[in-house]
Amino acid sequence: MSQILIKNGRVVTAVDDYYADVLVDGEQVVQIGKDLEAPGARVIDAKDRLVIPGGIDPHTHMDMPFGGTTSADDFETGTVAAAHGGTTTIVDFAIQTKGESTLKGLDTWHAKAEGKATIDYGFHMIVTDMPVERLPEMTKLRDAGVTSYKLFMAYPGVLYVDDGTLYRAFRKAGDDGTRICMHAENGIVIDEIIREAVADGKFEPKYHGLTRPTRMEAEGVHRAIAIAEVAKVPLYIVHLSCHDALEEVKRGRARGVNVVAETCPQYLLLDQSWYEREGFEGAKWVMTPALREKWNQDSLWQGLAFRDLETIGTDHCPFCMKDQKELGRESFTKIPNGAPGVENRMSVIYDAGVVKGRISLNRFVELTSTAAAKAFGLFPKKGTIAVGSDADIVVFDPNRKETISVDNPRTHHMNVDYSAYEGHEVQGWTDVVLSRGRVVISNGTLETKGGGQFIKRAGVGELLR
Ligand code: URP
Ligand code: ZN
Ligand code: ZN
């Protein structure tokens, strides 16, 4: 297979920062050093650019049936958009149909992704019920490379499971050396608050935010940590959105519970006032947890800097305004929950984090790639640049500025008719992307489509070979 030589770049990982050339042979990095030569290799000049590990987005929902419709990006469009934004691996969520085998759910998601993806992907399994007789399936999932599960305290009647189910699944996941991801929000109480709002004739999108108090997220986080502590399983709180919930994570970690938490760009950059936009526009940001009061953002940035928050996923779950978000025009309760973002993550976090001086360059790499690789059994094949690791590499221009817009062909490749960051100016842009040694994006243009593979992930604390 052919060689690629990335020359003159500044190589940045979660811990390193130096100038060097990187030689790729086939799918892997084979040499890093000064003034490397490789006759016949394709040369990529990375002068004045950063050479960083491809982004890992541990939280996406491609082709997901939800809220009476299906998320607008499938594995074809969503992974191309992710690649444009500098992400080379996603961990998406397969779903168990309630009452059916989780293994059948996995087959369904393999069929959705196989042959379509441009970047590599793994699956978490969303567990919607877990009677005792089905527990052995979890070991089979682990052996198939699905080493994490998501369970929901939210969405009663849809994805919600009770505390007994949580405990059973937590115990088994812990015994198997796998990880639990938790959507931690008290959906039962929230449904009562929603019922009160609807009875009072409150139907506009802004009531999505007003019916989901941060205390109900904090309660869910507290409960999930307590159950994980007793069940002895490593826990991962997904899409943590607010100060109150973060305080619960800090308390759990302070007493030694193995809990890692993820936040998302939307909670760091957008806020509850977005729901006040004219007419139905607020529907664009109807997602769960909801956008919060702006002051929460300072706590989240501090959590990222001080390592109480360890990863940044997008929770990419796009629904078009036309025909999809519109399902909720008469009532916020019917707006499909979710927003697009897989393409925007690296640039908006680089800009708001590194350029604005909130996090270091190394921490940026750690938060957007390395930490997710370590949490989800992808390291060191993914999440770093080292001899022997997959050549998932981004050549990133730290100076280039762009204005994100659905109408800007350089900034929007997601299959959705709006951008959650419309008009947002960023500094920091993805120039070139290698996915396992294939040049997928070059000068911001798609060069190679397809070729993404399912990655069988390792268990918690194991290295992926
Ligand atoms: O609103 C959201 N977050 N939609 C996707 C499903 C989930 O809860 O992650
Ligand atoms: Zn969720
Ligand atoms: Zn999600």
Side-chain angles (χ1 to χ4, degrees):
M1 218 173 164
S2 58
Q3 292 190 321
I4 296 172
L5 182 58
I6 304 172
K7 281 199 83 70
N8 309 315
R10 177 175 168 191
V11 179
V12 183
T13 70
V15 289
D16 307 304
D17 191 348
Y18 55 91
Y19 289 92
D21 301 339
V22 178
L23 181 62
V24 172
D25 193 353
E27 299 191 344
Q28 293 185 343
V29 173
V30 291
Q31 202 178 353
I32 303 172
K34 286 272 179 215
D35 303 322
L36 296 185
E37 294 197 9
R42 173 172 174 179
V43 175
I44 294 171
D45 185 13
K47 187 169 180 305
D48 300 328
R49 309 280 199 276
L50 307 177
V51 178
I52 57 177
I56 299 175
D57 189 338
H59 191 151
T60 65
H61 301 278
M62 306 298 177
D63 202 357
M64 170 172 152
F66 197 51
T69 181
T70 300
S71 59
D73 269 315
D74 62 12
F75 282 85
E76 186 175 327
T77 61
T79 58
V80 166
H84 273 283
T87 288
T88 54
T89 306
I90 56 171
V91 190
D92 201 87
F93 290 87
I95 306 183
Q96 171 203 20
T97 303
K98 210 183 272 275
E100 292 185 6
S101 162
T102 53
L103 298 165
K104 192 171 162 206
L106 178 59
D107 288 346
T108 303
W109 256 260
H110 272 306
K112 284 174 187 273
E114 212 174 312
K116 286 203 179 156
T118 287
I119 57 170
D120 290 347
Y121 56 94
F123 293 126
H124 313 278
M125 175 57 64
I126 290 178
V127 170
T128 54
D129 71 2
M130 190 45 68
V132 173
E133 47 296 359
R134 187 164 286 127
L135 285 168
E137 285 177 15
M138 292 177 69
T139 309
K140 290 188 178 147
L141 287 169
R142 180 201 65 194
D143 295 344
V146 176
T147 54
S148 47
Y149 305 89
K150 184 177 179 188
L151 291 95
F152 289 77
M153 293 170 169
Y155 311 125
V158 187
L159 298 170
Y160 167 88
V161 293
D162 62 21
D163 288 356
T165 303
L166 291 182
Y167 177 73
R168 269 194 307 283
F170 279 33
R171 284 273 294 157
K172 178 66 176 153
D175 281 353
D176 282 349
T178 57
R179 185 178 294 279
I180 291 290
C181 302
M182 195 71 228
H183 182 132
E185 260 189 313
N186 190 322
I188 300 289
V189 172
I190 287 169
D191 262 15
E192 285 301 313
I193 301 171
I194 291 172
R195 190 183 53 72
E196 290 169 356
V198 167
D200 288 347
K202 297 169 173 166
F203 295 112
E204 300 98 294
K206 71 175 179 188
Y207 290 106
H208 175 75
L210 295 173
T211 52
R212 309 188 89 88
T214 57
R215 186 52 53 198
M216 289 299 98
E217 185 180 346
E219 188 279 329
V221 171
H222 177 90
R223 188 161 26 115
I225 291 174
I227 298 171
E229 187 177 3
V230 172
K232 296 188 176 58
V233 66
L235 182 65
Y236 181 93
I237 304 291
V238 296
H239 49 44
L240 188 143
S241 71
C242 61
H243 171 86
D244 292 347
L246 179 57
E247 288 301 300
E248 295 297 340
V249 170
K250 287 192 210 170
R251 263 194 278 279
R253 287 164 75 104
R255 68 172 191 272
V257 183
N258 184 347
V259 52
V260 171
E262 161 199 277
T263 190
C264 310
Q266 54 269 32
Y267 303 121
L268 294 163
L269 291 150
L270 313 177
D271 65 76
Q272 209 174 57
S273 67
W274 261 248
Y275 295 128
E276 304 281 351
R277 299 261 171 116
E278 210 163 299
F280 188 60
E281 204 190 342
K284 290 176 177 172
W285 298 280
V286 165
M287 62 184 79
T288 304
L291 297 179
R292 304 304 195 182
E293 288 175 19
K294 193 169 175 56
W295 64 267
N296 287 278
Q297 294 172 0
D298 285 342
S299 292
L300 298 181
W301 280 110
Q302 201 173 64
L304 292 170
F306 292 170
R307 301 178 169 276
D308 293 309
L309 290 169
E310 289 194 17
T311 63
I312 301 178
T314 57
D315 195 7
H316 176 76
C317 190
F319 298 105
C320 291
M321 284 297 274
K322 187 169 162 18
D323 295 338
Q324 296 195 296
K325 291 284 184 179
E326 269 179 1
L327 295 169
R329 200 170 267 285
E330 301 306 316
S331 170
F332 73 93
T333 61
K334 302 228 162 36
I335 300 172
N337 283 202
V342 75
E343 185 171 356
N344 309 121
R345 183 181 67 130
M346 302 287 275
S347 281
V348 298
I349 295 300
Y350 183 84
D351 179 71
V354 181
V355 177
K356 305 284 190 302
R358 292 177 170 120
I359 54 172
S360 70
L361 201 44
N362 294 117
R363 186 74 180 133
F364 165 72
V365 171
E366 191 171 18
L367 286 166
T368 55
S369 182
T370 318
K374 288 182 176 171
F376 290 116
L378 292 162
F379 191 82
K381 236 169 125 61
K382 313 271 188 204
T384 193
I385 297 176
V387 170
S389 47
D390 281 358
D392 289 358
I393 298 175
V394 171
V395 178
F396 192 83
D397 184 340
N399 298 311
R400 178 160 152 199
K401 294 183 177 161
E402 282 287 355
T403 301
I404 296 173
S405 170
V406 68
D407 297 319
N408 181 347
R410 294 184 302 281
T411 69
H412 193 94
H413 301 84
M414 298 172 285
N415 186 36
V416 59
D417 60 3
Y418 75 96
S419 169
Y421 301 95
E422 184 67 34
H424 191 84
E425 282 180 31
V426 289
Q427 179 182 326
W429 203 253
T430 294
D431 265 358
V432 180
V433 178
L434 271 66
S435 171
R436 257 184 309 98
R438 289 162 299 124
V439 179
V440 171
I441 305 289
S442 145
N443 296 323
T445 306
L446 184 67
E447 183 173 308
T448 317
K449 203 170 166 195
Q453 284 180 1
F454 172 68
I455 304 293
K456 273 180 87 166
R457 292 180 292 120
V460 176
E462 293 170 358
L463 296 178
L464 186 64
R465 289 162 191 263

